[in-house]
Amino acid sequence: STLVQALATLPAHFLLVFTGMAEGTPALEELRTLAANLGVTRRIIVLDRLPFDEMQRFTAACDVGILLYPNDGVGNYYQAPGRLTQYLACGLPVLASDFPGLELLILKHELGAVCNPACPAAIARGVGGLLEIPTEERECRAARVRTTVMTELCYDRFAGRIEQAVYRASTGF
């Protein structure tokens, strides 16, 4: 709900895309009610569950990836979201919860911005800050993000060292 509240404060050309919300679910009905109350119904797109490759095509058409988790337990607080790599592979900057693990990753590698996930004003500032830069600069950032995900953050790059460490730890050699 805070994300929809933030959308209501952003310029009218900003849209919000949700995925994986099936028709008739309470979450979708709650979203529709809130959007109607805030006057942003036409600015929200809801997609059903999609195959991965189709999801990536939709993701690549977006401008920002959103990873806002509530601070409601250890699982969310120390989140390692799979969508992060999907967003980065598309060159999208990410707006993430300001929890230690996500914040360190996002800020250290200049992958986007972080904010308090419970504050609509902070979310709106974060999204606005990521998008209120010239198109050329956004394109350069997208290229840098894609490069970072394929180098610094690429598991395959470090897989050999990881496998050796696990082998040594498990065998004592």
Side-chain angles (χ1 to χ4, degrees):
S1 70
T2 54
L3 189 53
V4 177
Q5 292 170 6
L7 176 67
T9 68
L10 290 165
H13 66 277
F14 282 56
L15 303 175
L16 184 57
V17 179
F18 286 96
T19 59
M21 299 181 94
E23 214 39 64
T25 61
L28 182 55
E29 294 309 314
E30 182 181 323
L31 172 66
R32 286 184 173 150
T33 300
L34 179 60
N37 290 341
L38 294 173
V40 296
T41 301
R42 293 178 182 247
R43 296 172 56 198
I44 295 178
I45 299 167
V46 179
L47 303 172
D48 203 351
R49 292 194 183 275
L50 300 169
F52 180 79
D53 59 334
E54 191 174 348
M55 173 63 102
Q56 279 301 91
R57 284 195 299 277
F58 279 104
T59 301
C62 295
D63 294 307
V64 173
I66 306 288
L67 295 173
L68 298 175
Y69 299 96
N71 185 5
D72 62 2
V74 173
N76 277 344
Y77 193 73
Y78 292 105
Q79 186 65 245
R83 288 248 174 125
L84 176 64
T85 55
Q86 290 174 275
Y87 294 151
L88 298 178
C90 291
L92 299 182
V94 175
L95 179 64
S97 299
D98 60 356
F99 304 157
L102 282 174
E103 183 173 43
L104 175 63
L105 181 66
I106 298 296
L107 298 180
K108 178 180 178 180
H109 294 284
E110 299 177 16
L111 302 173
V114 295
C115 69
N116 178 344
C119 178
I123 294 168
R125 278 191 308 275
V127 169
L130 291 172
L131 296 178
E132 293 173 352
I133 60 176
T135 301
E136 186 176 300
E137 191 175 329
R138 285 170 57 188
E139 290 170 358
C140 289
R141 176 182 61 201
R144 185 184 48 73
V145 165
R146 282 190 295 272
T147 298
T148 300
V149 79
M150 295 307 296
T151 56
E152 296 300 313
L153 303 177
C154 181
Y155 168 79
D156 291 342
R157 180 173 178 218
F158 301 103
R161 284 193 256 167
I162 293 169
E163 289 171 358
Q164 287 177 348
V166 169
Y167 176 78
R168 280 193 299 262
S170 66
T171 62
F173 294 104

